[in-house]
């Protein structure tokens, strides 16, 4: 992949992510990668999700990689198996619905046929002046046979619809579970960047959401140093602990996502600016005072601190603007000494430049 500016840990530079679509298309064009949706997703993940392993794997391919090579990397890093499960479950839902519709259509035809028999019988009774016993017996036999057949058919159809509906319910549950897995960060079990981007966009779908929503961004201070000193397995465990602390401190039902290597985000609903900043400080203090100790070895990895940036949805024009402004507040917290909460509304206007060393 094209050389990127130095950033914190393994996460891609924020400036690059502020215009992700353009950056992804440019990188693909420079490497001669076909503009397929699955390739775009692969490069988007590499440039926004903070996976050094994925970025290194793409870089190792050099220019003009084959589609097979790209698909192999996608299969390894993007959990395409989960996406395939979602697609398969979706097709199964469609199949079950088609089967139920076919049964209903068949039932309609059967009812129409039964109606025609009754009409013909009624017409025969109304047009004849004299009825013989043989004629009446024939009418009765035809009517009884048609009625019995219709009732039997309805019973079979009803049971078939019940069975298909039960199967459809089971597939629907599987589909919902697969979709949940596709939007879950495997390490922390929080929502992933894909889910975060979708939820952030939903804020600006209604005036009510804009009025009552806010974005809170959290970044672990000096996380690269932690990884370098103790190794990535310890770093992964610390990420899991911090994810649990954030979830436990936030209000139940709060949208919490891991949006980058060591970056987390909360989309808040019903919070004023003061309450948003207070939640950020509660999370900051909970992490700062939490023990990060390996019980088996006695090794102490703490204290660990985080920097927090907040922005109200009403202070931004759209999802990208909200993310950028919360990001600016987070950077300000970093440049102000780390281990603090900064509101976007407290920032002064003027040129805004970043020193990426702060994220190391």
């Amino acid at each position: 992949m094209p050389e990127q500016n130095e950033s914190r840990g393994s996460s891609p530079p924020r400036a690059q992510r502020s215009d992700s679509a353009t950056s992804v298309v440019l990188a693909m064009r420079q490497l001669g990668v076909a503009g397929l949706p699955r390739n775009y997703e692969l490069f988007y993940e590499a440039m926004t999700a903070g996976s050094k392993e994925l970025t290194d794997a793409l870089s190792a391919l050099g220019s003009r990689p084959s589609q097979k090579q790209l698909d192999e990397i996608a299969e390894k890093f993007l959990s395409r198996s989960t996406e395939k499960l979602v697609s398969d479950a979706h097709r199964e839902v469609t199949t079950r619905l088609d089967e139920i519709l076919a049964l209903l259509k068949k039932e309609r035809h059967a009812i129409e046929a039964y109606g025609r028999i009754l009409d013909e019988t009624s017409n025969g009774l109304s047009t004849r002046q004299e009825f013989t016993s043989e004629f009446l017996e024939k009418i009765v036999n035809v009517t009884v046979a048609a009625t019995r057949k219709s009732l039997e058919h309805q019973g079979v159809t009803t049971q078939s619809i019940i069975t298909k509906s039960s199967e459809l319910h089971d597939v629907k549950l599987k589909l919902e579970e697969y979709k949940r897995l596709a939007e879950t960060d495997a390490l922390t079990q929080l929502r992933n960047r894909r889910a975060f981007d979708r939820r952030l966009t939903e804020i600006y779908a209604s005036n009510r959401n804009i009025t009552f929503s806010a974005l809170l961004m959290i970044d672990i201070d000096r996380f690269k140093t932690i990884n370098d000193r103790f190794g990535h397995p310890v770093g992964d465990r610390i990420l899991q602990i911090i994810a649990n602390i954030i979830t436990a401190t936030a209000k139940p039902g709060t949208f919490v996502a891991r949006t980058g290597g060591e970056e987390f985000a909360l989309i808040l609903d019903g919070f004023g600016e003061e309450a948003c900043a207070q939640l950020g400080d509660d999370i900051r203090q909970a992490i700062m005072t939490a023990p990060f100790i390996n019980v088996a070895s006695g090794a102490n990895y703490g204290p660990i601190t985080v920097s927090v940036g907040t922005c109200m949805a009403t202070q931004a024009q759209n999802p990208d603007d909200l993310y950028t402004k919360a990001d600016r507040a987070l950077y300000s917290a970093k440049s102000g000494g780390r281990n603090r909460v900064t509101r976007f509304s407290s920032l002064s206007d003027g040129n805004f430049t970043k020193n990426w060393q702060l994220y190391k």
Side-chain angles (χ1 to χ4, degrees), residues 78-340:
L78 298 190
S79 300
R80 282 277 167 79
S81 56
T82 301
E83 294 182 6
K84 185 177 185 300
L85 289 173
V86 172
S87 178
D88 290 345
H90 186 274
R91 281 197 298 272
E92 195 169 350
V93 167
T94 302
T95 300
R96 293 293 177 270
L97 286 173
D98 288 342
E99 290 172 349
I100 291 175
L101 290 174
L103 286 169
L104 292 174
K105 186 176 181 180
K106 185 177 180 181
E107 178 66 11
R108 187 193 70 186
H109 291 329
I111 292 174
E112 289 174 350
Y114 179 61
R116 285 195 298 272
I117 291 175
L118 294 181
D119 287 342
E120 291 171 1
T121 301
S122 177
N123 291 334
L125 290 172
S126 63
T127 57
R128 295 184 66 90
Q129 299 297 321
E130 297 180 1
F131 303 123
T132 65
S133 59
E134 291 81 5
F135 175 75
L136 289 175
E137 184 178 0
K138 182 177 180 181
I139 289 293
V140 170
N141 290 338
V142 169
T143 304
V144 169
T147 302
R148 182 184 297 114
K149 183 177 180 181
S150 178
L151 290 175
E152 290 175 352
H153 180 78
Q154 289 179 31
V156 172
T157 301
T158 300
Q159 186 57 49
S160 296
I161 290 177
I162 291 173
T163 301
K164 298 299 181 185
S165 297
S166 177
E167 293 173 354
L168 179 62
H169 176 70
D170 292 340
V171 175
K172 178 176 176 292
L173 293 179
K174 287 194 294 184
L175 178 60
E176 291 173 350
E177 177 63 13
Y178 295 153
K179 285 184 175 180
R180 185 190 68 80
L181 292 174
E183 294 191 342
T184 299
D185 176 64
L187 179 64
T188 63
Q189 295 303 300
L190 299 178
R191 304 292 183 87
N192 59 19
R193 181 62 186 244
R194 182 183 294 107
F196 169 76
D197 287 343
R198 192 194 74 249
R199 179 66 182 83
L200 194 68
T201 300
E202 291 173 357
I203 291 177
Y204 290 86
S206 74
N207 290 331
R208 188 269 174 201
N209 289 344
I210 296 173
T211 302
F212 296 103
S213 297
L215 175 59
L216 190 155
M217 295 177 61
I218 303 170
D219 191 276
I220 303 175
D221 295 328
R222 298 187 173 90
F223 189 69
K224 184 177 185 301
T225 301
I226 295 173
N227 275 333
D228 291 344
R229 182 179 178 187
F230 301 112
H232 286 278
V234 171
D236 288 347
R237 181 56 185 149
I238 288 173
L239 287 170
Q240 291 172 331
I241 293 173
I242 289 179
N244 290 336
I245 292 174
I246 293 173
T247 302
T249 307
K251 177 182 176 182
T254 299
F255 183 96
V256 184
R258 180 187 177 203
T259 54
E262 64 273 16
E263 179 184 278
F264 301 86
L266 289 78
I267 296 178
L268 306 178
D269 180 60
F271 277 68
E273 186 173 23
E274 187 66 32
C276 182
Q278 183 60 57
L279 174 59
D281 200 58
D282 290 343
I283 293 173
R284 181 192 65 81
Q285 292 191 52
I287 293 172
M288 180 179 64
T289 58
F292 290 87
I293 299 174
N294 186 318
V295 177
S297 66
N300 189 344
Y301 308 120
I304 292 175
T305 64
V306 297
S307 298
V308 183
T310 71
C311 183
M312 307 302 294
T314 52
Q315 297 167 346
Q317 300 299 315
N318 51 54
D320 288 340
D321 192 34
L322 178 58
Y323 184 88
T324 299
K325 288 177 175 177
D327 177 38
R328 289 183 60 183
L330 175 57
Y331 177 79
S332 180
K334 291 279 190 183
S335 62
R338 300 183 176 90
N339 190 26
R340 63 191 63 206

Side-chain angles (χ1 to χ4, degrees), residues 57-70:
L58 286 175
S59 297
L61 296 181
S63 61
R64 301 196 176 281
S66 69
Q67 190 60 52
K68 180 180 179 181
Q69 291 174 315
L70 294 170

Side-chain angles (χ1 to χ4, degrees), residues 27-41:
M28 291 172 60
R29 187 177 301 150
Q30 290 176 340
L31 293 175
V33 174
L36 302 177
R38 65 179 187 270
N39 292 341
Y40 177 87
E41 179 188 8

Side-chain angles (χ1 to χ4, degrees), residues 337-351:
R338 300 183 176 90
N339 190 26
R340 63 191 63 206
V341 179
T342 299
R343 310 178 193 186
F344 173 75
S345 62
S346 69
L347 303 182
S348 59
D349 295 332
N351 294 329

